[in-house]
């Protein structure tokens, strides 16, 4: 398995009973590699601050991540600015459930495995950033480009759009 682009391993024995505050920041090479991984035009900033606590063998990381860059418009492929300021609460656990199918609660969705006797906060921040990205970014001119290509909007293509077009025809006497 290859090393993640933005790895910040933190040993469990450095967390301590009182917890630990941590800040991580991706450098220019890491941001460029993450931009390729997440198919972004650019990733200008990615950093996070977190409070790590160890409770009942589970490492909790609560904090905020910040990221800026540019995604690809799903219509025009033009750069679309992106700004992510996302609070997170991650849990790092030692034992992963076994079996083919598992049922996840909402809390389990932000659960990551421990990496030996450490957590990789950098990779966790990178994954959290990727999940926070808008899934279908659109440039300001995307609707105009679609109209010019003959693609109808949802309103025009739906049943009420067809009725509106029929009403317009009747009004014109066609």
């Amino acid at each position: 398995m290859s090393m993640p682009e933005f790895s910040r391993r933190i040993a469990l024995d450095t967390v301590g009973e009182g917890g630990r505050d941590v800040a991580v920041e991706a450098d220019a090479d890491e941001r460029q590699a993450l931009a390729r991984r997440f198919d972004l035009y650019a990733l200008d900033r990615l950093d996070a601050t977190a409070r790590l606590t160890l409770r009942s063998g589970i490492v909790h990381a609560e904090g905020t991540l910040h990221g800026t860059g540019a995604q690809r418009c799903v219509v025009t492929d033009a750069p679309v600015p992106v700004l992510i300021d996302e609070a997170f609460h991650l849990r790092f656990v030692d034992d992963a459930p076994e079996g083919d199918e598992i049922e996840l609660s909402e809390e389990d969705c932000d659960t990551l495995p421990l990496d030996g006797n450490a957590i990789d906060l950098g990779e966790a921040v990178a994954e959290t950033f990727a999940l926070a990205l808008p899934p279908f970014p659109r440039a300001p001119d995307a609707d105009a480009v679609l109209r010019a290509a003959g693609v109808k909007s949802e309103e025009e293509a739906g049943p009420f759009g067809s009725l509106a077009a029929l009403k317009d025809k009747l009004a014109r006497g066609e």
Side-chain angles (χ1 to χ4, degrees):
M1 185 171 152
S2 65
M3 186 72 133
E5 300 90 343
F6 178 40
S7 182
R8 297 295 186 276
R9 289 179 50 84
I10 299 169
L12 297 182
D13 60 3
T14 66
V15 174
E17 287 185 28
R20 176 179 172 194
D21 292 321
V22 180
V24 295
E25 181 176 359
D27 66 27
D29 290 338
E30 292 165 333
R31 290 191 314 270
Q32 186 176 30
L34 288 168
R36 280 192 302 275
R37 176 173 159 192
F38 300 136
D39 194 28
L40 304 173
Y41 271 113
L43 181 55
D44 303 318
R45 174 186 179 193
L46 181 59
D47 58 71
T49 56
R51 175 80 179 157
L52 303 179
T53 55
L54 184 57
R55 298 189 302 261
S56 303
I58 297 172
V59 178
H60 296 264
E62 293 184 65
T64 306
L65 72 86
H66 309 281
T68 60
Q71 289 184 274
R72 298 178 187 280
C73 173
V74 295
V75 174
T76 66
D77 203 40
V80 178
V82 64
L83 168 65
I84 304 291
D85 284 313
E86 183 87 5
F88 62 86
H89 179 183
L90 306 172
R91 296 176 337 137
F92 295 85
V93 298
D94 191 20
D95 55 342
E98 293 185 25
D100 292 340
E101 292 185 29
I102 57 171
E103 190 80 25
L104 295 176
S105 69
E106 187 175 316
E107 186 176 282
D108 290 330
C109 292
D110 291 333
T111 300
L112 301 164
L114 286 174
D115 187 8
N117 289 326
I119 64 168
D120 191 340
L121 188 59
E123 176 61 12
V125 165
E127 291 174 4
T128 302
F129 170 78
L131 290 171
L133 289 169
F136 303 106
R138 292 176 70 125
D141 66 340
D143 289 335
V145 169
L146 288 172
R147 263 191 309 282
V151 178
K152 293 181 178 182
S153 70
E154 287 184 36
E155 293 81 24
E156 295 169 325
F160 295 111
S162 299
L163 290 174
L166 179 60
K167 181 179 174 184
D168 288 344
K169 279 186 178 185
L170 291 173
R172 290 189 304 256
E174 293 178 17

